Amino acid sequence: MSATMHKTIRLTMAQALVRYLSALRTEEGDGSLIPLFGGAFAIFGHGNVAGLGEALYQYRDSFPTYRAHNEQAMAHSAIAYAKAHMRRRMMAVTSSIGPGATNLLTAAALAHVNRLPVLLLPGDVFVSRAPDPVLQQLEDASDGSVSVNDAFKPLSRYFDRIVYPEQLLTALPRAIAALTDAAACGPVTLSLPQDVQTMAYDYPVDFFEPRVVRFRAVPPIEQELEEAAALLKNAKQPLIVAGGGVLYGQAGAALQAFAERHGIPVAETQAGKSSLPWDHPLQLGAIGVTGSPAANALAAQADVVLAVGTRLQDFTTGSNSLFAQAQLVSLNVNAFDALKRRGLGLQADATLGLQGLSRLLGNWNSAGQWLERAQQAGSAWRETVLAITGKREVAGLPYDGEVIGAVQRSSLDSTTRDIVVCAAGTLPAELHKLWRTSTPGGYHMEYGYSCMGYEIAGGLGVKMAKPEREVIVMVGDGSYLMMNSEIATSVMLDKKLIIVVLDNRGYGCINRLQQACGNASFNNMLPDSAPRIDFALHAQSLGALSEHVASIAELEQAMLRARAAARTYLICINTDDTRTTEEGGCWWEVAVPEVSTQAGVQAARARYENDRLKQRN
């Protein structure tokens, strides 16, 4: 053994953790090395300020720490940062024990559902139990080892509680492996008891040597490729459904080459939108419940569907009714997703899988009436999108589609440079259908968990990842009121956002769903007696520039001012809660009461039972 192997350095557990993370590197496309972690978001309390707080201060030059205003929000920002980097870079998040830790649980679930990496470092109670029960400690009379941090276990891809400083030697490599695994990617939680954070240990010096973390591309198995290729060769009406795995696998070029060579139209999920340029001839647009008429019509007629990198959420499949007639080939790096719906699973990286399939397909092409129909449908839909979003004069209040148009018209380069961020409510459906982008990642939607409150915090994370891009957060009044504190953080960090608030006076999306299920409008919209909230004034109080506009024309002019501004700029516009884009969409299963005294519910139940007959079991 060399002398280096025996060298040690005495550090606290917290110091060792931060030093290890700060030494990790990842490789850019040009071969240059950059830090794997962009730093840490931290809100300090008694559970982390003395231990981890001291360590973060010590290594602040190599591992930046960012202060936020809400634990859930800062975790959303960290998750959005990783998503904007296509999971190639990430951040850590630390909180105190108790409410600080449990505030992270929603974000942990969001990251788990969306397969996005974030390192959660919640403080925990004393291992020594000397001050037991410590402030904010949860006590369980039947289990002395219980902590609120146990709630992270089902929400984490990897969980560990560090009760000895030396456990970092095994826990940290395992944590990084989970965070960077293409299939097992998701949140990792290292629970850090506050006394253990401060304990010292003689760590091997070589544990902290700079290391390049590689992202492995899982190659396909030849037999699975052959089975999938044979199925596609017999297809007369094939369709590609592009999911988030296309973007995370950086497979946009491979997808385009595959679609063009073999003449297969492409539809995009919420997570997969921007996989193919919006105006590509083979682009059918969004698929599913929030899908375009072009994509959904062809999905209903397809005989083979090649699902690439999608977990086949019910919004994509129309609750398993949309392409129930088709044979499914599911290309996914995750075996769990590849085997869904009894399809033919092809477990592989998206790029390698598409390239392998193309090699076996050779010159096979679906050219003919199917391809012509697809190109005509896609072209017709793009014309419809331009007509919807091109309206400048509106009688009465505008609706979301018209607002989207004004936002995109405000930039000549908006289809390639802007990044739109959204998460929940009516806007995901409208943006999925109508937002135009030619750049992978130009559409940043959190719709796996559809978490209200993600939008502004997520926008901050995207801006931190892509400071050269204009980041536009589109958010409804309901989501804005749930979480808006990171407006102040964006101003504090000098990370400019453009925030467009669409105020329809309540939860308009759920109100329409409620009525579609036969019920009366109830507990969703604000009554006339409720005060009109001045969102522009509120944003000003948080340090942003802002204004309220009364029309689409005024919105366009305000967007120009917002683009020219040097700091976060909020624009609010009142919108119609009843109007939506009529074109597109498909059935989505929402259970309707089997017994009700309301005639509307009874009728909705009858429709529901009939619609369920279309499902593929």
Side-chain angles (χ1 to χ4, degrees), residues 140-434:
D140 188 322
S142 63
D143 187 345
S145 68
V146 166
S147 157
V148 295
N149 287 359
D150 290 317
F152 286 99
K153 290 181 177 179
L155 304 178
S156 302
R157 293 289 184 174
Y158 176 75
F159 176 93
D160 206 346
R161 180 174 280 113
I162 310 301
V163 296
Y164 290 99
E166 56 266 42
Q167 287 178 337
L168 286 182
L169 296 171
T170 54
L172 281 174
R174 290 173 181 172
I176 299 304
L179 288 166
T180 58
D181 187 288
C185 181
V188 166
T189 302
L190 297 182
S191 181
L192 307 178
Q194 64 169 292
D195 52 344
V196 181
Q197 291 177 40
T198 65
M199 294 178 184
Y201 179 75
D202 295 319
Y203 291 93
V205 170
D206 63 356
F207 186 63
F208 305 105
E209 291 180 357
R211 181 167 68 88
V212 179
V213 176
R214 309 289 182 186
F215 290 84
R216 294 177 178 86
V218 179
I221 296 174
E222 193 67 18
Q223 291 90 334
E224 290 185 353
L225 279 176
E226 291 172 355
E227 292 176 5
L231 197 58
L232 280 168
K233 280 186 176 180
N234 290 322
K236 303 297 182 185
Q237 299 181 161
L239 173 69
I240 296 170
V241 175
V246 175
L247 297 173
Y248 302 143
Q250 300 182 339
L255 173 69
Q256 183 169 332
F258 183 90
E260 290 174 351
R261 181 180 183 187
H262 304 293
I264 306 179
V266 176
E268 296 174 328
T269 70
Q270 284 279 10
K273 186 176 171 72
S274 75
S275 295
L276 199 67
W278 77 279
D279 55 354
H280 191 281
L282 292 173
Q283 172 68 270
L284 296 175
I287 192 169
V289 177
T290 56
S292 75
N296 287 351
L298 269 73
Q301 299 164 13
D303 55 4
V304 174
V305 169
L306 174 58
V308 184
T310 170
R311 64 192 186 95
L312 297 171
Q313 184 193 31
D314 63 344
F315 256 59
T316 297
T317 67
S319 299
N320 291 334
S321 69
L322 183 55
F323 41 90
Q325 78 293 337
Q327 291 181 287
L328 178 66
V329 178
S330 193
L331 167 56
N332 203 297
V333 73
N334 192 323
F336 179 83
D337 292 320
L339 296 175
K340 286 179 178 174
R341 290 191 60 185
R342 302 194 308 278
L344 177 61
L346 174 55
Q347 187 181 0
D349 167 78
T351 296
L352 297 181
L354 288 170
Q355 291 174 343
L357 276 177
S358 191
R359 170 175 54 83
L360 293 180
L361 289 174
N363 293 324
W364 175 85
N365 190 290
S366 74
Q369 291 185 348
W370 175 252
L371 184 58
E372 293 176 7
R373 193 188 321 165
Q375 290 175 327
Q376 291 172 1
S379 177
W381 171 240
R382 286 187 288 277
E383 290 178 4
T384 300
V385 168
L386 293 175
I388 292 171
T389 58
K391 292 181 180 178
R392 283 184 159 87
E393 295 183 6
V394 180
L397 291 175
Y399 92 105
D400 301 41
E402 293 150 355
V403 172
I404 291 169
V407 169
Q408 291 217 285
R409 279 196 304 275
S410 66
S411 174
L412 295 176
D413 199 28
S414 63
T415 61
T416 58
R417 299 300 299 166
D418 289 350
I419 301 176
V420 69
V421 180
C422 191
T426 302
L427 277 164
E430 299 298 337
L431 287 165
H432 195 200
K433 291 179 182 179
L434 304 176

Side-chain angles (χ1 to χ4, degrees), residues 477 501-506 532-533 535 572-576:
D477 56 306
V501 179
L502 290 79
D503 183 3
N504 64 9
R505 295 281 287 169
R532 171 68 71 175
I533 297 168
F535 293 100
C572 180
I573 184 169
N574 297 342
T575 56
D576 190 334

Side-chain angles (χ1 to χ4, degrees), residues 41-48 68-76 93-108 120-124 135-138 147-149 151-152 189 191 483:
F41 273 104
I43 293 180
F44 292 132
H46 72 90
N48 65 344
H69 290 85
N70 177 285
E71 289 91 353
Q72 179 182 324
M74 69 181 182
H76 288 334
V93 176
T94 180
S95 73
S96 182
I97 70 169
T102 53
N103 279 351
L104 297 176
L105 290 172
T106 296
L120 303 175
L121 303 171
D124 209 333
L135 177 66
Q136 299 177 323
Q137 179 176 342
L138 175 75
S147 157
V148 295
N149 287 359
F152 286 99
T189 302
S191 181
M483 193 171 295

